[in-house]
Amino acid sequence: METTSLIGTKNKKGQVITDVRHMMFEAPRTPSFYTGSEVIKEAIRRANVDVMIAYPITPQSEAAALIGELFAEGYIKEYFRGESEFAVMSQCAGAAFGGARVFTTTAGPGTMRAMENFPMWAGARLPIQMIVTCRGINSPLSIQPDTLEISYLIQTGMLVWHAETAQDFYDWILKGYMVSEEPDVHLPLALCCDGFFVTHTKDVVNLTPADMCLPPYDPYRSPVPCMDMECPPVRMMRDPFVMKSNYISYATHASWQQEVWAAVERSRKHTIAWLDGLIETENTDADILIVSSGTAVSQGREAIRLLADEGIRVGLVKIKTIRPWPWQEIREATKNAKHIIVPEFNVAGWLAREIKASIPDSDRVVAAPHVCGGMTMPPEIIVSEIKNVLGMRDHALAGRGS
Amino acid sequence: MSKERIKIAPEFFEIMPPEYQDLVNRATYGKEDRGWKDIGTAKELIEEHSLCAGCPESMAFRYILASLPNPEDTVMVGSTGCTSLVFPHVAVHNIHSLFGNQNAIASGLKRALTVRFPGRIKDVVVLAGDGATVDIGLDMTLQAWFRQEKFTTICFDNELYANTGGQESGLMQKGFVAKMAPVGKMFEKVRLPEIARESGCHYVVNCTVSKPSLVEKVIRNAVHVAREIGPTYLQLYTPCILEIGKNSMEGLQEMRDSEKPTERFAYKEYISEPAKQLLAEIAAKEKEKKAAAKEQLAAQQA
Ligand SMILES: Cc1ncc(C[n+]2csc(CCOP(=O)(O)OP(=O)(O)O)c2C)c(N)n1
Ligand code: SF4
Ligand SMILES: [Mg+2]
């Protein structure tokens, strides 16, 4: 069969469609001082996205509007504001069913409003990318950073990654499409970050050249037919099994769910190659480890520095992907640790629960500190937690009484 | 797609299911004057159905699929309900995703197809129940119309939630006693055709499916107008004979009774000015074509 490669050709904006490994790993990078929202825009400028559907909700509104500017400039082929997050996620599904590369962003209540769509996306094998700039979902209304919504996303069958920095965000948006669109994966990706901390702060981010972009999405590499009437519209089943109460119906549904989760597993090998592993570690021979994801990792790094000044050695595990869950990597990295501290930006401590379920001697896990509702996590409270575990007195905890 | 796409490699012809062989040999993809009259002589695009025996939805499905002007480049969008049991038997790409989100799916789909196939026709047709269209999905139904999305919305109005066992719906008649309306429905049947007109639909029809020729006409009009101008809406009475206590043979009579001039499904249509113009142009072209064919025939005979 004759195949034509698009690599080296130009798109309408004059960007060169580039081999993605070259673009991400070899091409020169330009340091730029940008907010997280601007970084999202710059990544999408290079992502060859067909359709973006937007809806305002803090803290992703700015990013969603900036993508609109890309549409106006011609970098994206279709863009509109939907009527609600539920509708937006269905509109994204429709566009993906029709063979488009689709991008959207949401946060907090938006994620929850749209929730019914996510297992549907996964079950329909739609490789949509959704940025989630996590914020509170509690009542009374809060717009502040809080990662509770991730705990709802992780059982949907979607890939769920948790970025720490704007640089992660930039690289992972582009790499995310590469993993999501692999024929043996072909699943949606929720690319999460901690709202405000990442979206609204400025950071130096190394950008790939603006005149290079990803190759376009090829819907005919999908493991399920694209709904565009360009391939035979065969009757896919003799009986619609959905409503039947019989063994074959149960078996069909069960095996499809298993296949979706198997596809999450199959994404590991691609993700490891693109992200250089599902976790990142430092000094895992230390007795004490901080294990976390998102900006809690950054706070952990600061705490490690403060403790080092006092002669206390603490190692670090940064978890990059929540789905697929790197349980083997975490097991390996924590095997020498006596105390595993899991700082989190949510009230439930879902990450600590996941870690506890993955390692032996799970009473080593200290599910703390937890901050939520927009509270910041000063490194000192991580330090306090660690000193507490070590039986040392610490000033920061003195106010709590005995 | 053309009929070429569904062709079977000769080596495999024998092992393909007979209904697929039939589809290749006798389906009406690409036939310009396709319509309800093909039923019985050509392969239908619906294989069989799993609705109740005599359910008028099954007639409606057959007429609609026979009448789509361009099935080889049409994608349909369904919703949960009795119709979702039928779609797996339909030889046109179709999407079921959730209950009530059909017009949102269709909005994204139509835009994606427009981006991917510039200059080519790709029709999108939504077909969903009244619960899906008017109750749980009303927001998305209307918003798609406000945005002037270029696809057709068909509502199979059986005036209740059939698939879940006959509960009250917004399109149910006032006073009807049903599950979840234990003392009778308290408010009037929602006037969606009027709302459709006010919401920007360019072609709106409210009727029953008792006459296949009428279904053919309104389907063709609705798809053509949606393709060229903007949203269109068809509200078709497909009574749920099971839940209103009728026998399998009584669906047709029920529709005939309900389409009398004073009844709620008396034929009603609204056509916007641009749509009128388009339909007149299409009619003129068809007339021209027929005249030319006649002339040619006469010349041949002479
Ligand atoms: C979110 C959600 N809520 C409720 C249901 C249950 N449900 C399935 S079909 C249906 C009613 C369908 O009614 P209608 O749209 O009128 O179609 P009909 O079956 O009458 O043809 C309902 C309530 C569902 N599947 N999903
Ligand atoms: S329940 Fe009613 S609408 Fe559904 S198939 Fe039976 S008769 Fe038709
Ligand atoms: Mg109904």
Side-chain angles (χ1 to χ4, degrees):
Chain A
M1 205 173 85
E2 200 185 325
T3 54
T4 45
S5 170
L6 293 170
I7 303 292
T9 61
K10 283 188 181 174
N11 69 8
K12 270 194 191 144
K13 293 302 289 180
Q15 290 173 304
V16 180
I17 294 169
T18 306
D19 175 86
V20 188
R21 279 172 212 286
H22 173 72
M23 174 168 150
M24 299 310 297
F25 297 126
E26 295 159 11
R29 297 265 183 152
T30 313
S32 315
F33 193 50
Y34 275 142
T35 65
S37 304
E38 288 163 341
V39 165
I40 297 175
K41 177 186 180 186
E42 289 311 314
I44 294 302
R45 186 195 297 281
R46 297 153 172 85
N48 220 333
V49 166
D50 296 307
V51 178
M52 195 270 177
I53 306 167
Y55 195 79
I57 184 168
T58 307
Q60 59 81 59
S61 304
E62 190 195 358
L66 288 172
I67 312 294
E69 293 179 8
L70 287 181
F71 169 67
E73 292 169 33
Y75 286 96
I76 289 188
K77 300 190 187 81
E78 184 59 284
Y79 173 95
F80 68 101
R81 173 200 55 82
E83 58 268 43
S84 72
E85 289 85 355
F86 177 81
V88 164
M89 301 314 161
S90 290
Q91 285 149 355
C92 287
F97 272 117
R101 179 177 285 158
V102 182
F103 181 73
T104 191
T105 54
T106 193
T111 308
M112 303 309 284
R113 178 70 58 106
M115 191 58 70
E116 192 189 357
N117 285 278
F118 302 137
M120 179 271 282
W121 283 6
R125 307 300 288 272
L126 306 171
I128 299 162
Q129 187 172 136
M130 171 174 73
I131 295 283
V132 184
T133 62
C134 298
R135 72 172 250 194
I137 55 174
N138 61 295
S139 182
L141 180 65
S142 156
I143 61 164
Q144 302 301 336
D146 192 310
T147 60
L148 193 53
E149 67 198 271
I150 296 179
S151 68
Y152 294 86
L153 288 167
I154 60 181
Q155 310 299 5
T156 58
M158 292 178 75
L159 307 176
V160 181
W161 299 358
H162 195 180
E164 178 194 353
T165 61
Q167 184 70 57
D168 283 350
F169 228 40
Y170 178 79
D171 291 336
W172 296 2
I173 287 171
L174 295 160
K175 293 173 176 177
Y177 277 117
M178 294 302 100
V179 175
S180 252
E181 293 170 1
E182 282 288 348
D184 66 343
V185 179
H186 226 267
L187 285 174
L189 167 64
L191 178 43
C192 307
C193 75
D194 301 351
F196 292 103
F197 298 138
V198 176
T199 51
H200 285 57
T201 54
K202 277 198 161 187
D203 202 355
V204 176
V205 176
N206 295 313
L207 304 182
T208 55
D211 61 358
M212 289 185 182
C213 69
L214 300 186
Y217 170 56
D218 178 358
Y220 304 120
R221 289 175 79 228
S222 164
V224 289
C226 174
M227 292 289 117
D228 59 3
M229 278 306 265
E230 294 292 319
C231 56
V234 287
R235 212 169 44 139
M236 276 171 239
M237 48 202 128
R238 185 166 282 274
D239 250 349
F241 53 73
V242 264
M243 308 291 187
K244 294 279 165 74
S245 300
N246 59 27
Y247 180 74
I248 195 134
S249 149
Y250 307 150
T252 311
H253 282 285
S255 58
W256 188 242
Q257 288 197 46
Q258 286 162 5
E259 157 53 21
V260 168
W261 283 91
V264 174
E265 291 302 306
R266 293 193 296 262
S267 75
R268 277 177 200 278
K269 56 183 181 295
H270 306 295
T271 316
I272 289 168
W274 283 111
L275 301 194
D276 192 22
L278 307 184
I279 65 171
E280 190 183 296
T281 59
E282 283 168 27
N283 303 327
T284 50
D285 57 332
D287 282 352
I288 308 162
L289 286 185
I290 294 173
V291 183
S292 198
S293 63
T295 54
V297 176
S298 316
Q299 301 310 91
R301 292 183 206 278
E302 287 302 306
I304 289 171
R305 222 169 36 78
L306 294 176
L307 286 161
D309 290 345
E310 297 186 43
I312 302 170
R313 190 159 173 271
V314 176
L316 181 76
V317 177
K318 164 177 169 172
I319 299 172
K320 302 181 200 173
T321 65
I322 314 296
R323 292 290 180 270
W325 174 243
W327 65 274
Q328 269 173 319
E329 289 90 337
I330 292 170
R331 253 174 115 97
E332 178 61 27
T334 56
K335 69 176 184 226
N336 298 319
K338 295 201 173 67
H339 307 289
I340 298 165
I341 315 296
V342 185
E344 288 183 64
F345 280 95
N346 69 81
V347 73
W350 55 263
L351 184 63
R353 282 207 297 258
E354 293 273 315
I355 294 168
K356 278 185 188 167
S358 307
I359 59 169
D361 303 322
S362 64
D363 52 1
R364 291 180 294 158
V365 173
V366 178
H370 284 171
V371 299
C372 57
M375 305 238 323
T376 54
M377 187 189 288
E380 289 79 5
I381 66 168
I382 305 178
V383 167
S384 288
E385 245 7 288
I386 289 173
K387 287 190 175 172
N388 197 29
V389 164
L390 295 176
M392 297 166 67
R393 279 187 67 82
D394 183 64
H395 299 302
L397 287 181
R400 288 191 180 174
S402 56
Chain B
M1 195 198 78
S2 76
K3 217 167 162 181
E4 282 302 303
R5 294 263 174 155
I6 62 167
K7 275 205 175 143
I8 310 168
E11 300 86 337
F12 293 121
F13 196 89
E14 286 302 314
I15 62 162
M16 287 298 279
E19 59 265 34
Y20 194 84
Q21 295 172 351
D22 245 13
L23 207 59
V24 176
N25 290 333
R26 301 196 303 119
T28 50
Y29 299 115
K31 182 169 180 274
E32 266 186 36
D33 61 344
R34 65 192 306 277
W36 73 275
K37 284 185 179 150
D38 298 327
I39 294 175
T41 57
K43 172 70 177 170
E44 291 180 56
L45 301 187
I46 176 173
E47 184 59 36
E48 53 194 36
H49 70 79
S50 43
L51 301 165
C52 299
C55 174
E57 283 196 356
S58 63
M59 299 159 70
F61 255 106
R62 295 178 70 186
Y63 301 158
I64 291 168
L65 286 164
S67 309
L68 289 173
N70 193 35
E72 60 278 8
D73 280 303
T74 299
V75 183
M76 299 187 76
V77 180
S79 195
T80 318
C82 283
T83 53
S84 53
L85 296 167
V86 180
F87 271 114
H89 304 279
V90 168
V92 169
H93 276 173
N94 59 85
I95 298 170
H96 174 270
S97 61
L98 299 173
F99 180 43
N101 67 342
Q102 58 283 342
N103 280 34
I105 291 279
S107 300
L109 174 70
K110 178 70 191 187
R111 287 171 184 244
L113 295 178
T114 308
V115 162
R116 289 190 53 224
F117 301 99
R120 273 186 61 188
I121 291 166
K122 289 281 176 188
D123 294 325
V124 171
V125 176
V126 169
L127 199 173
D130 50 310
T133 309
V134 180
D135 296 332
I136 197 167
L138 182 65
D139 179 16
M140 287 165 278
T141 305
L142 298 186
Q143 298 273 358
W145 295 344
F146 298 159
R147 286 193 306 264
Q148 294 288 293
E149 303 282 355
K150 290 172 130 180
F151 61 82
T152 297
T153 304
I154 304 172
C155 172
F156 274 8
D157 181 6
N158 54 14
E159 307 192 295
L160 46 78
Y161 288 24
N163 198 239
T164 37
Q167 294 83 4
E168 178 192 287
S169 95
L171 288 190
M172 181 175 274
Q173 299 172 71
K174 187 176 178 183
F176 195 88
V177 177
K179 287 167 195 148
M180 302 192 186
V183 294
K185 189 185 175 223
M186 306 291 271
F187 63 99
E188 293 291 344
K189 184 176 174 75
V190 173
R191 288 159 57 180
L192 198 60
E194 285 93 329
I195 296 171
R197 185 190 66 204
E198 295 302 317
S199 305
C201 283
H202 290 270
Y203 182 80
V204 181
V205 168
N206 178 57
C207 66
T208 80
V209 299
S210 68
K211 297 183 204 74
S213 57
L214 182 70
V215 176
E216 177 183 317
K217 187 185 98 182
V218 301
I219 290 288
R220 289 186 73 86
N221 286 351
V223 172
H224 281 133
V225 171
R227 188 189 293 166
E228 304 293 338
I229 297 172
T232 57
Y233 176 58
L234 304 178
Q235 186 165 318
L236 308 177
Y237 184 41
T238 54
C240 172
I241 49 175
L242 184 77
E243 292 295 338
I244 60 172
K246 302 271 176 187
N247 291 325
S248 332
M249 301 301 286
E250 293 172 341
L252 186 58
Q253 195 53 49
E254 167 62 23
M255 290 190 280
R256 285 182 176 153
D257 291 344
S258 315
E259 68 195 9
K260 291 184 180 142
T262 53
E263 290 293 332
R264 62 198 188 287
F265 289 100
Y267 184 85
K268 241 191 309 187
E269 72 176 15
Y270 162 76
I271 313 179
S272 74
E273 281 310 316
K276 272 183 199 160
Q277 213 174 325
L278 176 79
L279 293 177
E281 282 165 22
I282 292 172
K285 265 189 211 148
E286 265 165 28
K287 212 169 155 187
E288 232 171 72
K289 232 191 229 167
K290 269 188 196 153
K294 219 172 170 182
E295 249 171 52
Q296 208 176 359
L297 195 70
Q300 276 169 3
Q301 282 166 350

